[in-house]
Amino acid sequence: MTTMPSHDSIRAVLWRGDRLRLLDQRRLPFVEDYIDCTTPAEVAQAIRDLVVRGAPAIGIAAAWGVVLAARRGSDALAEALPMLRAARPTAVNLMWALDRMQRAIAAGADALALEGEAQAIQDEDLAANRHMGELGAALLGDGVGVLTHCNTGSLATAGFGTALGVVRAGVSAGHITQVFAGETRPWLQGARLTMWELVRDGIPATLISDSAAAHLMASGKVQWVIVGADRIAANGDTANKIGTYQLAIVARHHGAKVMVVAPWSTVDLETPTGADIEIELRDPAELLSHAGQRTVVDGAVAWNPVFDVTPASLIDAIVTERGVVTSPATSGMRGLA
Ligand code: MRU
């Protein structure tokens, strides 16, 4: 299956030989601006501030952060590793990439060899996404409508995307007739980022408010909910962007299927169930204001968990580059290890 080149044109994490260039996702869709990081502290800050976001992309950025540290010597490296690891807690790709870089360091890799390792992490992610696109698209059937959540595309990965990669591949193959994207409150990854990617790559899509999802699924226009993941536990429970869990409940109620698409770097066999996954709480200010403008009365408080856990029993298929696990609640993930 080939995906039209026009359906895959965006790259957000760019190594420039002595610096890491990141497309600033806080400013999209109206400003396409890049930030250059020359120190590991700048990379950690960019991850914390969501300049770069999406589980695979933050792992890749952290790997380049290790390269920047290694060029400054062993003290800088020792300081950088825990700082990068602490940047965000839920997406296990961050820890996975740092563990891989640490194994290379332990095996004696110098800065040049570490550069090769970071490049391999980035290249392998792109290849995994293209492969998952084919595997996921093959599950869809014909003439289907899909709903996706958050941003799981080229902005969130080395390129092509996970769930959005399946959308890209499914549209190219003619399986998907309609794409819906949820706006993804409060940070609006769906509205600001996914819609930007889809419009830019020529994939027709319709934005819905998060609250319209049940009404949409009741209409029968959605056969698959296709989402990414930040961490998949050994039993198949899946942490992803807040709101995924309620989409899975609604999908089950209306007979739509749920597909989780994630590279093996998102699978955490050390974490037995979703209950063991740390859920990131972000600044309530993200809920209390919009575009820097306060929208809620002074004195109000807010709770802002930015991920939730979808139980494996609500997931029909988990697609990784190693293969597809159907009904993960009964089999878990170990069969692909
Ligand atoms: O807070 P974010 O924007 O980093 O959250 C991103 C998500 O939840 C994505 O769905 C997930 O990382 C998969 S990206 C391929």
Side-chain angles (χ1 to χ4, degrees), residues 35-46:
I35 282 187
D36 281 351
C37 300
T38 56
T39 67
E42 286 170 354
V43 175
Q45 189 68 39

Side-chain angles (χ1 to χ4, degrees), residues 53-56 88 150-152 156-157 162 189 228-230 240-241 307:
R53 34 86 23 223
R88 292 188 75 188
C150 193
N151 171 267
T152 63
T157 63
T162 58
Q189 285 94 333
D230 288 83
N240 190 50
K241 180 52 57 192
F307 299 99

